[in-house]
Amino acid sequence: MQFNSLTFLTFFVIVLVLYQWLPTWNAQKRLLLVASYIFYAAWNPPFVLLLLLSTLVDWHLARHILASQILSRRRILLTLSLLCNLGILGVFKYGNFLLDQFISVAHLIGLSYQPPQWDIILPVGISFYTFQSLSYTLDVYRGNIRRSASLLDFSVFISFFPQLVAGPIVRANHFLPQLESPKRIEVSSLGLGLALLIFGLFQKVVLADAIFAPIVNLVYAQPKVFDTFSVWAAVLAFSGQIFYDFSGYSLCAIGVALCLGFHIPDNFRSPYAANSFSDFWRRWHISLSSWLRDYLYISLGGNRNSVFRTYCNLMITMLIGGFWHGASWMFVLWGGLHGAYLCFEKWGARFQTRIRLPLLGQMFVVFLITTLTWIPFRASDLSSVMMIMERLFVFTNDYQSLDENELFLCLAAIGGTLVWHYSQRDFVFEERLIAWNWDRIAFMLGASMIASFLASGGDEHAFIYFQF
Amino acid sequence: MPLSISNFERGVPNQPWLKILVVALIMPVLMVMLLEYTLVKKGFQATVLDSAALWIEQRVRASTLGNRALILVGASRIQLGLDLSVLRDGLALEPVQLAVDGSSFFSVLEGLARDPSFRGTVIVDYADHVIQQGLVKDYAAGLQRAYEKRDKTAGGLAARAENILESIVRHHLRSYADGARPMTSLFERALRDGSTQQYLVTFPDRTRNADYTKVSMPDFYYSRVFRHSGLKPSLNEPVTTTQIDRFLYEAISQFGPADNRSFLENLTLLKVWVERIRQRGGDVIFLRMPVSGFVQMIDNQRYPRADFFDQVTSLTGAASIHFADFPEMGDFHCPDGSHLDYRDKKPFTKALVQELKRILQAKYFHENREYVGT
């Protein structure tokens, strides 16, 4: 069930009405749990069992970790949780990929091995809820959580439908306390929640799907038939598409949760206004980058050991972060490139130089490199990456060009995005809403709804991050 | 404590939210009402979207109907020219429309041949050039792939619910007529003076009606002929229809017959598929839909019947029907040269049913089975 569907809008209205109508907080939480499982089952009913399994295993293991004072036992229990969660993720997300790699290696050493294809379906959102569930047992093991949540609260935390399939990845310390106090729908939360939902849908339907996606799909399908200018436009357009697609989803998730009285942290903070790569990762997919930092990078030793070890930790974290996005070497390459930029930046910071680019220049460089680094993220294989790179840097205008109107709209939208991110660099969205007059907010919302309606009705486009 | 964990509460701006939401909602409601009103005034009507989901839904039906299935594959001629209710009543079979506008039937027929659960009868919208080019990666091939790759449980509930809700919306809003985005309806239909009227209407069973009284004739006809012939109108000055007719007649008369080698090779491929379908109790019938005027002349010049259509039955073993062989089917006039007007749909289908009945009766008699449609 996608946020930009009539099914979701109907489902959400029913949930809101029942949520407000139910007399007790426990009943409301049960409703949230049932609604979340229906939300997940609407995509593929059998896979709710995986969600249930993950929930039950981690809840039980966390209880035993909390109850045990013996370090070795706690370690075994944590290892069990890691094995179970990462095992499920490994089989369902990486099973086909690992089998293919095994066959390729066997062929390389002259073995003819052709097992039947496993044909495993990737359960939607598995990477998100697995990481969310894992963070709970890790926090319990580390002593950051000292009290066991009830099974109902923990189940709601893992399956909470607004952020179940594509994040933001919420931490237990953020969410479980919110389940302790009863909630009622309040006009102010509902108002802001709906406003965020409308702005999120605008980002997805109008900017990501109607303006950027057609150009990206056209050029990435056959980069060799397009001229240099068109390929540049498509590469820039993908920067816009991936941002608005995912940021739109996150905004919808935050808005829907807020309507129900829950507060979920931001996932994006004007990432294209970052002036360094470490700044970029503090602004892009914040819930994942902070998860990787807290549970992987720091666990590996972070920057507490030698400089070389720090670089290794950074690279491992970013490579795993890339691989988290999907079972493809292209994602690993993307993660590896970002890891290399972070290492280079850390290395460069050791030298005090007097020559520094102005802030706008730094932003431009980071945006440009980030944009070029999206190419392996979007391209199907390495040969397509090379073809696009060749088109970008070997000037040619003998080939096909994009439609001028589409091109203008796309470049204007990218330009607008950069200006918006620059102006928003040190603000969160709500601060803007406080500063605006009510009629301005109403106009923006109305215009967003009109634009979303006008752009609706095209091909179906699932949120890109659903596949991760 | 991990760095990112802290007490978190989103600040809710103090604004008159109820007033904001009401005012914001009024804007799109007014806009939609205005757009719909303009489209009603211009004679547009709401239609369903001939989407991939709808095609896949019909394709799934094709495999579940057993030997009652009567599958129509091909392109716009069969999609616009056959009436499913007449077929259903006349043949006691359950027709399923799988034709795809502007596409080849090859991938779809191949998919039906490969599908062990398909046991029905296929009517193929015969087109010489389609067989000549063979298997291609076109839109229909994409639909076939999407059908085969569909996850049988994925999106089950949500997709069905979405289809129902979407069809309700599309059933009422003209802004989405013929699969248009409201953006297109606003700029191309509502705001533009003299915009082309809606002459095509799509129905939930994927059939379509074409009302050629709503298009500007003979311009529409000539544009079809030029497109079909590959000729470029080289007359710069305003000309009379007689001059255009003379130009077309002279140019088309020069067309030589196409080489039929690849056509004949592709028929051997079709033969394999026909046999596979027959082995499961099904059948395949090739149907040449009516064409008129210069479109007919172009086809006759390029694809002489003796070298092309007449080879179909002998080389595939499947029955074939040519509209020109039957006076009751041959008298229909295609206003654009290539498609029947919706007013001719029922009478043409009735005439076709008589011939289909004869073919099916002969087949059932041959197989010692009782044909329920008699």
Side-chain angles (χ1 to χ4, degrees):
Chain A
M1 210 185 295
Q2 299 196 37
F3 289 147
N4 57 334
S5 67
L6 296 167
T7 321
F8 176 75
L9 292 181
T10 313
F11 164 85
F12 186 46
V13 169
I14 294 169
V15 170
L16 273 182
V17 170
L18 290 174
Y19 188 70
Q20 187 67 358
W21 175 72
L22 285 171
T24 66
W25 180 225
N26 250 350
Q28 284 173 282
K29 285 196 282 191
R30 285 196 188 103
L31 168 74
L32 288 180
L33 184 63
V34 172
S36 298
Y37 272 74
I38 290 173
F39 179 86
Y40 198 63
W43 168 73
N44 197 331
F47 283 122
V48 293
L49 294 175
L50 272 185
L51 186 62
L52 189 65
L53 178 74
S54 193
T55 306
L56 289 175
V57 166
D58 283 331
W59 185 73
H60 277 288
L61 289 174
R63 264 167 64 97
H64 287 293
I65 294 173
L66 270 174
S68 174
Q69 302 299 319
I70 308 159
L71 186 63
S72 59
R73 184 176 152 79
R74 289 163 63 89
R75 265 196 194 142
I76 291 170
L77 291 167
L78 177 69
T79 310
L80 267 177
S81 168
L82 287 167
L83 281 176
C84 180
N85 285 289
L86 298 179
I88 291 173
L89 194 60
V91 169
F92 283 92
K93 187 160 181 170
Y94 302 104
N96 284 327
F97 175 77
L98 294 174
L99 182 67
D100 288 344
Q101 302 313 306
F102 183 76
I103 295 167
S104 302
V105 172
H107 281 205
L108 269 180
I109 57 171
L111 291 174
S112 176
Y113 175 64
Q114 196 58 58
Q117 276 294 318
W118 289 350
D119 215 13
I120 299 168
I121 300 166
L122 174 65
V124 70
I126 188 168
S127 312
F128 289 92
Y129 69 73
T130 303
F131 270 35
Q132 187 155 316
S133 188
L134 257 183
S135 74
Y136 179 71
T137 41
L138 283 163
D139 277 345
V140 167
Y141 175 79
R142 288 174 169 184
N144 294 331
I145 293 173
R146 299 181 196 283
R147 197 158 55 89
S148 175
S150 71
L151 181 58
L152 175 62
D153 283 7
F154 184 69
S155 304
V156 173
F157 160 61
I158 298 298
S159 64
F160 189 50
F161 72 85
Q163 43 80 234
L164 171 62
V165 292
I169 301 167
V170 180
R171 306 288 181 85
N173 276 2
H174 278 157
F175 197 83
L176 288 173
Q178 297 187 49
L179 286 169
E180 284 171 8
S181 49
K183 297 190 189 322
R184 285 282 151 197
I185 295 171
E186 290 170 14
V187 176
S188 55
S189 294
L190 185 72
L192 178 60
L194 290 177
L196 295 179
L197 178 64
I198 291 164
F199 286 133
L201 289 175
F202 170 77
Q203 291 192 358
K204 165 69 179 163
V205 176
V206 179
L207 296 168
D209 285 355
I211 294 180
F212 293 122
I215 289 178
V216 174
N217 295 342
L218 197 65
V219 175
Y220 271 84
Q222 280 186 301
K224 63 181 173 194
V225 305
F226 287 95
D227 60 20
T228 298
F229 191 63
S230 301
V231 176
W232 267 107
V235 168
L236 287 167
F238 186 66
S239 278
Q241 188 195 355
I242 187 84
F243 169 71
Y244 284 118
D245 189 280
F246 194 20
S247 159
Y249 185 91
S250 298
L251 215 51
C252 290
I254 293 165
V256 169
L258 200 57
C259 291
L260 297 162
F262 289 87
H263 295 250
I264 296 178
D266 289 329
N267 219 11
F268 292 89
R269 282 192 193 131
S270 309
Y272 293 145
N275 64 342
S276 68
F277 289 98
S278 46
D279 189 26
F280 176 79
W281 282 105
R282 283 191 292 269
R283 295 166 177 277
W284 179 275
H285 202 171
I286 300 164
S287 64
L288 175 69
S289 53
S290 61
W291 196 102
L292 290 170
R293 180 194 61 204
D294 294 341
Y295 298 109
L296 185 61
Y297 178 68
I298 290 175
S299 301
L300 289 168
N303 56 4
R304 295 191 299 271
N305 301 309
S306 67
V307 175
F308 177 73
R309 185 68 196 276
T310 303
Y311 292 155
C312 289
N313 292 342
L314 262 179
M315 280 307 290
I316 292 169
T317 305
M318 294 313 290
L319 286 169
I320 290 176
F323 200 46
W324 175 91
H325 284 83
S328 157
W329 290 117
M330 290 293 101
F331 290 124
V332 178
L333 175 61
W334 173 78
L337 285 170
H338 271 282
Y341 304 151
L342 289 171
C343 289
F344 182 75
E345 208 168 78
K346 228 172 184 39
W347 175 78
R350 298 166 66 196
F351 306 102
Q352 293 292 326
T353 54
R354 287 188 184 167
I355 310 159
R356 275 184 84 89
L357 280 171
L359 178 65
L360 272 174
Q362 293 171 30
M363 277 171 48
F364 177 75
V365 170
V366 173
F367 172 70
L368 191 65
I369 297 174
T370 308
T371 293
L372 292 173
T373 313
W374 285 125
I375 295 171
F377 194 93
R378 174 61 176 79
S380 50
D381 50 39
L382 202 57
S383 62
S384 302
V385 174
M386 299 314 288
M387 170 53 71
I388 290 168
M389 293 305 274
E390 186 190 316
R391 276 284 183 274
L392 288 177
F393 295 108
V394 180
F395 180 79
T396 171
N397 60 359
D398 300 339
Y399 294 88
Q400 205 172 310
S401 296
L402 290 166
D403 174 72
E404 276 179 18
N405 293 335
E406 278 187 45
L407 206 59
F408 173 76
L409 203 57
C410 163
L411 294 179
I414 276 288
T417 303
L418 293 179
V419 172
W420 169 252
H421 280 205
Y422 179 69
S423 67
Q424 276 284 105
R425 199 167 185 274
D426 302 316
F427 297 97
V428 290
F429 190 54
E430 289 90 322
E431 287 171 332
R432 290 286 180 203
L433 292 183
I434 292 169
W436 288 351
N437 289 333
W438 76 268
D439 48 354
R440 188 173 173 187
I441 301 173
F443 176 77
M444 297 286 281
L445 286 173
S448 294
M449 282 192 273
I450 288 175
S452 300
F453 168 70
L454 290 177
S456 68
D459 288 341
E460 289 168 21
H461 292 283
F463 285 92
I464 294 176
Y465 264 69
F466 269 30
Q467 61 188 290
F468 308 139
Chain B
M1 178 181 279
L3 299 175
S4 65
I5 294 183
S6 58
N7 289 329
F8 176 80
E9 189 155 346
R10 186 169 290 280
V12 179
N14 188 20
Q15 293 280 8
W17 285 108
L18 197 62
K19 189 157 77 171
I20 288 172
L21 290 173
V22 170
V23 172
L25 199 62
I26 288 172
M27 286 170 62
V29 168
L30 276 178
M31 197 265 166
V32 173
M33 283 169 64
L34 209 63
L35 178 59
E36 286 294 307
Y37 175 76
T38 315
L39 292 171
V40 170
K41 293 282 273 182
K42 289 199 164 195
F44 283 88
Q45 53 178 305
T47 69
V48 300
L49 174 66
D50 193 9
S51 64
L54 189 59
W55 190 90
I56 290 170
E57 190 186 304
Q58 294 298 317
R59 179 59 188 82
V60 170
R61 273 187 72 217
S63 289
T64 54
L65 288 169
N67 59 5
R68 288 192 304 122
L70 179 70
I71 312 303
L72 313 182
V73 300
S76 51
R77 284 179 189 162
I78 203 167
Q79 201 176 8
L80 290 166
L82 294 193
D83 187 291
L84 299 199
S85 59
V86 174
L87 286 173
R88 187 179 292 115
D89 296 343
L91 299 170
L93 296 173
E94 189 52 44
V96 178
Q97 182 59 268
L98 291 184
V100 181
D101 189 9
S103 286
S104 160
F105 64 81
F106 261 65
S107 305
V108 182
L109 185 64
E110 193 265 341
L112 289 167
R114 209 164 10 88
D115 179 358
S117 52
F118 175 69
R119 293 182 289 121
T121 303
V122 187
I123 300 181
V124 177
D125 178 9
Y126 172 91
D128 307 279
H129 71 278
V130 169
I131 300 181
Q132 179 87 329
Q133 67 187 11
L135 265 171
V136 285
K137 284 184 180 174
D138 59 2
Y139 182 62
L143 290 176
Q144 177 63 29
R145 264 199 312 282
Y147 162 74
E148 285 169 11
K149 280 190 171 176
R150 82 200 187 284
D151 171 1
K152 288 180 180 112
T153 49
L157 294 170
R160 258 174 276 162
E162 190 65 18
N163 278 347
I164 292 168
L165 292 170
E166 210 179 290
S167 64
I168 293 170
V169 170
R170 287 179 187 277
H171 190 70
H172 289 94
L173 291 186
R174 289 156 177 85
S175 306
Y176 294 103
D178 291 335
R181 283 185 169 187
M183 179 89 79
T184 318
S185 292
L186 175 67
F187 290 110
E188 302 292 327
R189 293 172 173 175
L191 295 180
R192 183 182 284 185
D193 286 332
S195 56
T196 305
Q197 284 194 52
Q198 181 188 15
Y199 77 101
L200 283 173
V201 178
T202 310
F203 299 99
D205 61 6
R206 293 196 67 258
T207 52
R208 276 185 172 169
N209 276 356
D211 182 353
Y212 287 103
T213 59
K214 291 188 172 176
V215 298
S216 166
M217 289 291 187
D219 299 0
F220 195 87
Y221 166 66
Y222 285 131
S223 77
R224 160 74 59 188
V225 173
F226 277 109
R227 213 163 58 236
H228 194 68
S229 64
L231 293 167
K232 294 262 184 296
S234 57
L235 306 162
N236 297 323
E237 293 161 20
V239 286
T240 62
T241 54
T242 318
Q243 284 172 303
I244 299 174
D245 285 347
R246 194 184 314 131
F247 168 78
L248 285 169
Y249 182 81
E250 284 168 6
I252 295 168
S253 303
Q254 303 298 316
F255 287 0
D259 185 344
N260 72 348
R261 272 176 298 184
S262 59
F263 179 90
L264 298 177
E265 278 169 24
N266 289 330
L267 284 186
T268 58
L269 195 63
L270 290 179
K271 184 184 178 188
V272 176
W273 301 341
V274 170
E275 281 171 358
R276 273 195 208 153
I277 290 172
R278 282 188 162 174
Q279 278 165 9
R280 295 195 297 267
D283 206 354
V284 178
I285 298 163
F286 288 90
L287 167 66
R288 179 73 161 99
M289 291 291 290
V291 282
S292 313
F294 284 121
V295 173
Q296 188 172 10
M297 187 180 169
I298 293 163
D299 286 352
N300 290 344
Q301 290 286 117
R302 279 194 181 140
Y303 307 105
R305 193 172 156 166
D307 296 338
F308 288 88
F309 183 82
D310 290 347
Q311 302 296 320
V312 172
T313 296
S314 59
L315 290 179
T316 65
S320 56
I321 301 170
H322 196 297
F323 73 96
D325 294 343
F326 304 91
E328 57 276 25
M329 282 189 252
D331 287 345
F332 289 96
H333 170 71
C334 299
D336 72 339
S338 196
H339 303 93
L340 291 172
D341 187 89
Y342 83 99
R343 295 167 190 85
D344 290 331
K345 200 169 166 178
K346 270 187 199 294
F348 175 79
T349 313
K350 277 181 186 163
L352 174 69
V353 161
Q354 297 311 312
E355 184 54 19
L356 286 173
K357 257 186 181 175
R358 193 191 60 73
I359 293 170
L360 291 173
Q361 276 165 356
K363 169 188 158 64
Y364 279 67
F365 177 77
H366 184 69
E367 292 171 0
N368 282 326
R369 287 197 284 159
E370 190 188 348
Y371 172 53
V372 287
T374 52

